[in-house]
């Protein structure tokens, strides 16, 4: 799929989707206590911007990037109406990834581009924290994307970020009671602190 096809696909989806209060991902909402009290934050491939809104409400200077002009316009309108300060920007993250050492917090949810995993860690300030949650290949029902290209393998985030400090990792697969826990998605929270 070309980038303009990607943009058109997401624009059409967001134009059709009823407007509702954007929700933060579980990796962020359930681990909010790990956020710093100030600094710069980025919601990467933000969609409706639920993560960005939580980051801004937590006192962080927040940017939100997405390829879809439709969803960025919706997010700007939402922020204006609520008086929330989020710098929402149309940006293709494949060609314009974040600069190295630029953010104290980065959130990524339900977006997987393997070629950017290392750039995301590199974009953290020393001590900066990455909250990442996305869909897994292992699932018990039809949920999330179908192509393995967009689905995490078992332990994939843990393996990708070997060598950095992991504050939290979940990848529960189909073990045990499927009505409880984090299913069909995996999360990692890591800190930019090299392990010796
Ligand atoms: C499944 S949605 C997830 C949105 C949001 N993070 C969430 O959890 O609700 C994937 C998002 O990635 C965005 N996206 C896809 N390709 C992108 C690219 N190359 N650059 C920036 N955003 C992109 C889409 O527009 C879409 O909003």
């Amino acid at each position: 799929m070309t980038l303009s096809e990607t943009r058109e696909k997401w624009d059409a989806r967001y134009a059709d989707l009823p407007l509702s209060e954007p929700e933060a991902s579980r990796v962020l909402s359930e681990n909010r206590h790990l956020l710093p009290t100030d600094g710069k934050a980025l919601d990467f491939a933000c969609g409706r911007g639920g993560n960005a809104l939580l980051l801004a409400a937590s006192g962080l200077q927040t940017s939100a990037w997405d390829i879809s002009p439709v969803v960025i316009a919706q997010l700007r309108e939402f922020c204006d109406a609520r008086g929330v300060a989020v710098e929402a920007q149309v940006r293709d993250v494949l060609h314009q990834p974040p600069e190295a050492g630029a953010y104290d917090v980065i959130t990524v949810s339900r977006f997987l581009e393997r070629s950017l995993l290392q750039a995301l860690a590199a974009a953290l300030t020393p001590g900066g924290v990455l909250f990442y949650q996305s869909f897994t290949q292992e699932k018990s029902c039809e949920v999330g994307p179908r192509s393995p290209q967009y689905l995490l393998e078992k332990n994939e985030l843990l393996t990708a970020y070997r060598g950095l400090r992991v504050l939290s990792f979940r990848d529960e697969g189909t073990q045990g009671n499927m009505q409880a826990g984090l299913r069909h998605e995996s999360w990692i929270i890591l800190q930019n602190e090299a392990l010796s």
Side-chain angles (χ1 to χ4, degrees):
M1 196 182 282
T2 65
L3 279 171
S4 61
E5 286 167 343
T6 301
R7 182 179 292 115
E8 280 164 24
K9 179 185 100 169
W10 286 104
D11 272 350
R13 199 168 290 187
Y14 286 121
D16 283 351
L17 203 64
L19 286 171
S20 59
E21 184 92 21
E23 278 184 25
S25 57
R26 284 182 61 186
V27 68
L28 183 60
S29 61
E30 294 179 20
N31 297 287
R32 197 176 172 159
H33 59 284
L34 296 175
L35 288 172
T37 49
D38 56 19
K40 284 177 66 182
L42 172 64
D43 186 2
F44 189 80
C46 60
R48 288 262 163 93
N51 293 328
L53 295 171
L54 188 153
L55 294 168
S58 303
L60 298 163
Q61 186 191 327
T62 304
S63 300
W65 298 348
D66 200 283
I67 199 170
S68 161
V70 168
V71 85
I72 290 298
Q74 291 172 345
L75 177 57
R76 285 182 184 150
E77 219 167 286
F78 188 91
C79 289
D80 287 348
R82 303 283 176 106
V84 180
V86 169
E87 199 256 321
Q89 198 182 322
V90 177
R91 180 149 163 162
D92 163 25
V93 299
L94 295 185
H95 291 92
Q96 290 180 286
E99 283 170 32
Y103 293 96
D104 301 293
V105 176
I106 299 176
T107 58
V108 189
S109 58
R110 298 181 168 173
F111 176 84
L112 179 60
E113 172 52 51
R114 290 180 171 84
S115 65
L116 292 175
L117 291 178
Q118 298 313 317
L120 286 165
L124 294 169
T125 54
V129 183
L130 172 66
F131 295 77
Y132 202 131
Q133 173 177 340
S134 209
F135 290 110
T136 52
Q137 292 182 7
E138 198 177 12
K139 43 184 158 181
S140 61
C141 60
E142 278 298 319
V143 59
R146 288 197 181 155
S147 165
Q149 186 187 344
Y150 302 115
L151 295 167
L152 291 162
E153 293 172 23
K154 292 175 189 174
N155 271 8
E156 184 171 351
L157 290 173
L158 195 58
T159 307
Y161 290 119
R162 193 185 293 119
L164 287 173
R165 172 138 193 222
V166 174
L167 302 179
S168 175
F169 176 66
R170 286 179 77 172
D171 189 7
E172 299 176 356
T174 53
Q175 172 62 29
N177 176 6
M178 289 296 290
Q179 305 314 312
L182 178 74
R183 303 302 177 165
H184 316 120
E185 294 187 68
S186 170
W187 85 35
I188 196 163
I189 305 173
L190 63 89
Q191 187 160 33
N192 182 16
E193 176 191 318
L195 300 176
S196 47

